[in-house]
Amino acid sequence: MYEIENLAKLSMAFMIPLSSACELIKHHLPSSRRIIILNKTDLANHIQLKEWLKYFEEQKSLVFGVNSHNKDNIKELLNFLRARVRELSKVGHGDQTITLMLVGIPNVGKSALANSLHQIGRISAAEKGRLKHAIVSPHPGETKNISGLKIASHPSIYVLDTPGVFPAEILDAEVCSNLALTGAIRDCLVGEVDLAEYFLSIFNVSNEYKKWANLSLSGTDDCSELERRQKRQYITDHTQDFIVNKVRRTLFEVVSSFNGNLHDEEIMSRLIKSEFAVLRDAFNLPPDSDDYVRKVAAKLLNLYRTGRLGHYTLDLAPNNN
C-alpha cells in the first residue's frame, strides 16, 4: 500500500507543511510507502513552494505539488503515481491491486483530490460507468466515512478518501493560528475577527500588496446603479472583480503609506484597526452597521482563502545548510 499524506491547506495554500503535520500519521507500516502531497499549490507562495519541494527531496521523501482543480496537473500526478506503482513490480507486487490512502488533517482538500484523480483516471482508461464523488466542503470535518475511488487500470489503483485526523491537543499557539487561518479548525471556535487580524498581521509584512501598485492609479468606481446592473455588478457581492480590486487598492494605499515599525505589536494593532475601518467602505457596508467588524472579517477571510488576496505559505521551509 502507498500512503499519501496530504499536508497542504485549502483554503486555502495556505500551505502549512509543518503546522499540518500530525504525529499520528508520521509513522507508517513497513509494508507501506509514504508520498507527501503538497495540495493547493495555486494558493501557495511560489518561491516557498520550491523551497519545500527541495527540502522534502533532500530528506529523501517522495513529494509532489498539486492543484487538484488543474486537469493537466492531475494527469502529471497520475503519471507520477503510476511510475511509483511500476517500481513495485520490481519487488514482486506489480500484479496486485494497489491502494492509495489519503491521510491528513481536516480541510486540506483530500476529497477534492480524490474526485479529480478518479475523474481523470477513469477518462484516461476509457472506462464506462457512473463516476463516484467524495463529499467536498469548505468546512472541516464533513468527510465522515472512508470512500474508495478507482483511478487507474492495469494494474488497478484505488484511492481511499479518509476523514481528517487531528491531534488531541495543540500546544504551539502559532501552529494553532495557522491551522485556524487555513480552515482546519472551524472559525467559530477561534473567532472570525481574530483570524482576520492574524491574516492582516501576515499580509502587512509581506510583499503581496506591492503587486497592486498599479491599481491605486486606476481611477474610481463611479458608476450609476443602472450601469452596474447592465454590467451585472452587485455591490453586495464581495467576490466580484470590481470589489476585489477595490479591496486590493484600499489595502495597498493603507500599507504603503504607513511608516510605523510593523514589528511593534502595538503599532501593528493600530494599522490593523485602520484597515478594518477603510475595508468597511471597500466592501460597501453601511456606515451605521453595528456589526461591520465581523462582516469585514468574514469577507476578508473568504478572499484570502480563495487566493484573491495573494499567495502565502505560512510555514517557512527549514534551512538544510
Side-chain angles (χ1 to χ4, degrees):
M1 177 191 293
Y2 271 102
E3 175 185 293
I4 299 181
E5 180 180 354
N6 199 326
L7 295 180
K9 179 53 216 88
L10 174 86
S11 68
M12 82 95 297
F14 301 49
M15 283 182 55
I16 48 174
L18 289 180
S19 299
S20 64
C22 180
E23 293 295 330
L24 295 174
I25 57 179
K26 277 188 176 180
H27 307 291
H28 47 87
L29 297 174
S31 60
S32 67
R33 300 188 184 184
R34 179 179 177 221
I35 301 174
I36 299 173
I37 301 294
L38 299 177
N39 194 21
K40 302 184 181 179
T41 56
D42 55 314
L43 301 176
N45 178 284
H46 296 160
I47 295 176
Q48 271 297 307
L49 173 61
K50 292 179 181 179
E51 290 295 320
W52 273 111
L53 291 171
K54 178 182 177 182
Y55 168 77
F56 284 121
E57 288 168 356
E58 292 179 347
Q59 296 295 312
K60 307 302 180 184
S61 298
L62 289 173
V63 61
F64 196 94
V66 66
N67 170 7
S68 58
H69 300 292
N70 185 301
K71 291 184 179 180
D72 291 335
N73 203 189
I74 291 297
K75 290 178 182 177
E76 293 172 357
L77 175 58
L78 271 173
N79 290 334
F80 174 82
L81 295 175
R82 289 192 183 105
R84 304 290 76 76
V85 169
R86 284 195 294 271
E87 293 173 357
L88 293 178
S89 64
K90 299 177 182 179
V91 292
H93 299 288
D95 297 329
Q96 298 181 8
T97 296
I98 305 300
T99 302
L100 310 176
M101 179 179 290
L102 283 169
V103 183
I105 63 169
N107 206 25
V108 290
K110 297 187 295 296
S111 297
L113 180 59
N115 286 337
S116 295
L117 286 169
H118 175 56
Q119 182 181 28
I120 299 298
R122 290 288 299 275
I123 292 174
S124 299
E127 290 197 5
K128 298 181 180 180
R130 184 177 180 181
L131 290 173
K132 296 182 179 179
H133 294 280
I135 297 175
V136 176
S137 171
H139 306 293
E142 293 299 318
T143 300
K144 307 294 184 183
N145 301 304
I146 296 177
S147 301
L149 304 174
K150 189 175 183 179
I151 64 172
S153 301
H154 312 297
S156 295
I157 305 177
Y158 289 83
V159 63
L160 299 181
D161 178 35
T162 65
V165 292
F166 213 72
E169 60 179 356
I170 304 172
L171 302 178
D172 189 299
E174 184 176 355
V175 169
C176 183
S177 298
N178 289 343
L179 290 171
L181 184 57
T182 53
I185 301 173
R186 290 185 181 272
D187 291 349
C188 61
L189 299 179
V190 179
E192 289 176 320
V193 175
D194 288 340
L195 288 178
E197 289 177 347
Y198 180 55
F199 163 66
L200 287 174
S201 70
I202 295 170
F203 170 83
N204 290 336
V205 296
S206 74
N207 291 320
E208 290 299 302
Y209 72 93
K210 295 179 181 179
K211 301 175 183 178
W212 307 331
N214 62 313
L215 293 177
S216 65
L217 305 175
S218 60
T220 59
D221 300 311
D222 296 327
C223 293
S224 66
E225 184 64 25
L226 178 59
E227 289 175 320
R228 291 198 187 281
R229 288 180 182 177
Q230 291 173 341
K231 295 179 180 180
R232 298 197 175 187
Q233 294 180 343
Y234 306 100
I235 62 173
T236 57
D237 183 358
H238 67 280
T239 66
Q240 294 204 337
D241 288 344
F242 79 104
I243 297 294
V244 175
N245 284 337
K246 188 177 179 181
V247 170
R248 292 170 175 170
R249 185 167 61 247
T250 297
L251 288 173
F252 170 80
E253 291 172 349
V254 172
V255 181
S256 61
S257 62
F258 191 77
N259 297 319
N261 178 13
L262 294 179
H263 296 288
D264 184 296
E265 186 175 340
E266 184 176 342
I267 293 175
M268 173 69 81
S269 180
R270 289 207 303 267
L271 173 59
I272 292 174
K273 185 176 181 179
S274 65
E275 287 172 321
F276 266 87
V278 294
L279 284 172
R280 175 176 60 183
D281 295 331
F283 284 125
N284 298 302
L285 295 173
D288 57 348
S289 175
D290 296 331
D291 201 21
Y292 88 87
V293 172
R294 186 195 62 78
K295 291 178 180 178
V296 165
K299 294 176 185 293
L300 195 67
L301 287 174
N302 175 262
L303 294 183
Y304 158 66
R305 289 168 175 167
T306 52
R308 308 295 295 279
L309 295 181
H311 300 81
Y312 304 87
T313 299
L314 304 184
D315 289 333
L316 299 182
N319 190 338
N320 288 327
N321 298 326

